[in-house]
Amino acid sequence: MPIAILMPALSPTMTEGNLLKWHKKVGDSVKAGEVLAEIETDKATMEVEAVDEGTLGRILVEEKTEGVKVNTPIAVLLEKGEKPADLDSFKVASVGPAPTQEAAPHVPEPVATHEIHAPVSSQERVFASPLAKRLAQEKSLDLHSIQGSGPHGRIVKKDVEGFSGAGGRSFGSSTRTAATGPEFRDVALSSMRKVIAKRLLESKQTVPHFYLTADCHLDSLMAIRKSLNESIEGIKLTVNDFIIKASALALQDVPAANATWMGDSIRYYRDSDVAVAVALEDGLITPILRQAHVKSVFDISSEMKQLAKKAKENKLRPDEFQGGSFSISNLGMYNIPQFGAIINPPQAGILAVGAGQQRPVVEDGEIFVATVMTCTLSVDHRVIDGKTGADFLNAIKNYLENPALMLI
């Protein structure tokens, strides 16, 4: 009997995705493990591999279709010995998004004993990045009038910014509700923004946060970093590389902090898998450096650069951003001296890192100038108590202020 290929759930938070490209066409043979299609989720673009073998008999969801719900049939696979005529017993009906004012293409619905529901993609659908859509709304531009230069003709930021479009249609102009009312515009939420909103709201409502703050003196670290960058060709260590290493080692020194909340239990980890927030066009993602405690600061620097690049290109694999027991969010490069971050459940802690600044410091009755960085640790009190949190933050501070310990 023909096998329905379903829209997969490629991450725990995925409810729908965009079908970017088919790697197989109708009539092609399919072997288990071969790449069938590329799917864009709220986090990344990933390849979908075949589970069964056979022949691709019918494609139900065309390339560049957005908002395909998880578990929706996207294609039909014919098993060995079956023929295309066997598909006549399948009934295809549309359960996609509500129809637009322009009619969707007609899909024949032969009588069948098996029913497959698939969304019908509108020929008027626009394929664009979330940032491109937002910029188009700000500029009152119609995306239908813009030629995309991204992968598979996708409209990206530069296409909107470079569009002159004298004859283009406009939409979404600012609205004034009354003679004295303010102007406003409504921007639809992207898949990523919906997930961020849901998870962070859940975190603040259900996780009992408490916060610990420490000022870390960075002069020794800055000196070692400068020396290494100048003496080793091709090396460009950042302060964040040392922060990742310090946090990973501190998780080993204070194993009670290397934990996650499991509902009816607390899970303690052997390795220090540290997640690091990376800003994207429409939100952020936290790629993970696995076993960061056993990696040199040079390896951490190289791997972090690769992960950040993949994150910004939407190419992270699920295993590269799912999991981890601790996170780091660094806004120092944006000249923010201090802030508190929201915990990413089920993790029990996140370190918010501010900018390193020259400040007056009093020590043994003497005043001197030092480079100081304020770090704020957000902690889940269900998992970590005050003393454990303090021990953990002090361990991070000790490594940052004695960076030679991280190079041993």
Side-chain angles (χ1 to χ4, degrees):
M1 187 174 75
I3 301 170
I5 299 172
L6 306 180
M7 183 68 164
L10 299 175
S11 74
T13 60
M14 180 179 170
T15 58
E16 62 179 35
N18 305 329
L19 203 158
L20 298 185
K21 179 181 179 181
W22 281 104
H23 284 263
K24 294 286 186 178
K25 63 181 183 293
V26 173
D28 285 353
S29 62
V30 176
K31 295 182 179 179
E34 288 186 333
V35 175
L36 284 176
E38 290 180 19
I39 302 294
E40 181 185 52
T41 72
D42 58 301
K43 298 290 187 182
T45 299
M46 286 172 276
E47 296 178 336
V48 176
E49 296 182 353
V51 177
D52 302 292
E53 296 189 356
T55 301
L56 189 60
R58 181 177 297 170
I59 289 177
L60 303 175
V61 178
E62 298 298 328
E63 291 185 352
K64 303 182 181 179
T65 299
E66 299 182 353
V68 184
K69 300 294 184 183
V70 166
N71 291 330
T72 297
I74 58 176
V76 182
L77 191 69
L78 293 170
E79 294 187 288
K80 185 177 180 180
E82 293 179 331
K83 299 178 181 180
D86 295 322
L87 293 173
D88 292 341
S89 62
F90 280 76
K91 182 180 180 181
V92 181
S94 172
V95 292
T100 60
Q101 292 181 351
E102 299 183 41
H106 173 69
V107 178
E109 298 184 3
V111 178
T113 56
H114 303 283
E115 183 172 329
I116 295 178
H117 298 284
V120 178
S121 69
S122 168
Q123 292 179 357
E124 283 294 306
R125 186 180 298 279
V126 178
F127 198 62
S129 71
L131 179 58
K133 292 177 181 178
R134 185 165 69 246
L135 289 175
Q137 286 182 316
E138 292 174 356
K139 295 173 176 287
S140 297
L141 298 176
D142 182 6
L143 287 169
H144 291 84
S145 304
I146 301 175
Q147 181 66 41
S149 64
H152 318 300
R154 191 183 198 201
I155 300 171
V156 294
K157 176 184 175 183
K158 66 178 182 179
D159 299 325
V160 178
E161 292 179 334
F163 179 72
S164 57
R169 295 173 286 176
S170 65
F171 71 97
S173 57
S174 296
T175 303
R176 187 175 293 276
T177 57
T180 58
E183 292 187 355
F184 65 89
R185 61 185 177 86
D186 294 328
V187 179
L189 295 177
S190 67
S191 298
M192 175 174 283
R193 183 51 57 185
K194 288 178 183 178
V195 172
I196 291 173
K198 180 181 178 181
R199 288 182 59 80
L200 294 188
L201 177 63
E202 176 186 352
S203 178
K204 287 296 286 185
Q205 288 182 331
T206 63
V207 177
H209 288 59
F210 75 91
Y211 306 91
L212 301 170
T213 300
D215 287 336
C216 305
H217 294 192
L218 294 184
D219 291 300
S220 296
L221 188 153
M222 298 299 284
I224 284 182
R225 170 178 171 267
K226 180 180 179 181
S227 176
L228 291 173
N229 284 345
E230 290 178 348
S231 60
I232 304 177
E233 187 176 353
I235 293 296
K236 183 66 174 179
L237 296 175
T238 68
V239 173
N240 209 47
D241 298 329
F242 287 93
I243 294 170
I244 295 169
K245 180 67 174 181
S247 300
L249 291 174
L251 287 170
Q252 295 295 305
D253 293 346
V254 188
N258 194 16
T260 57
W261 176 256
M262 302 304 294
D264 56 0
S265 64
I266 297 174
R267 179 171 296 173
Y268 295 96
Y269 296 89
R270 180 194 64 184
D271 296 329
S272 297
D273 295 336
V274 180
V276 182
V278 174
L280 305 179
E281 284 186 352
D282 198 44
L284 57 84
I285 194 169
T286 51
I288 300 170
L289 288 103
R290 307 284 179 183
Q291 297 184 316
H293 58 293
V294 298
K295 294 176 179 176
S296 71
V297 69
F298 305 101
D299 291 336
I300 287 173
S301 179
S302 175
E303 186 175 340
M304 190 64 237
K305 288 180 176 65
Q306 293 174 15
L307 288 171
K309 183 176 184 293
K310 291 180 69 174
K312 292 176 180 178
E313 293 175 349
N314 234 13
K315 293 182 179 179
L316 286 175
R317 301 189 310 271
D319 62 285
E320 292 176 321
F321 62 82
Q322 293 176 10
S325 59
F326 184 71
S327 291
I328 296 171
S329 180
N330 190 342
L331 292 180
M333 64 286 292
Y334 300 106
N335 202 32
I336 301 299
Q338 181 179 350
F339 71 104
I342 300 175
I343 295 169
N344 183 24
Q347 295 178 5
I350 182 171
L351 186 70
V353 181
Q357 300 175 325
Q358 287 198 325
R359 303 178 195 171
V361 176
V362 179
E363 195 171 284
D364 296 329
E366 299 290 332
I367 299 177
F368 62 95
V369 176
T371 304
V372 180
M373 179 178 69
T374 300
C375 294
T376 301
L377 179 66
S378 304
V379 184
D380 183 346
H381 215 324
R382 298 173 300 179
V383 180
I384 300 174
D385 292 327
K387 182 182 183 303
T388 301
D391 290 343
F392 177 49
L393 185 55
N394 282 328
I396 294 175
K397 174 182 170 71
N398 181 57
Y399 282 114
L400 293 176
E401 295 185 340
N402 299 279
L405 296 174
M406 293 186 275
L407 302 177
I408 298 175

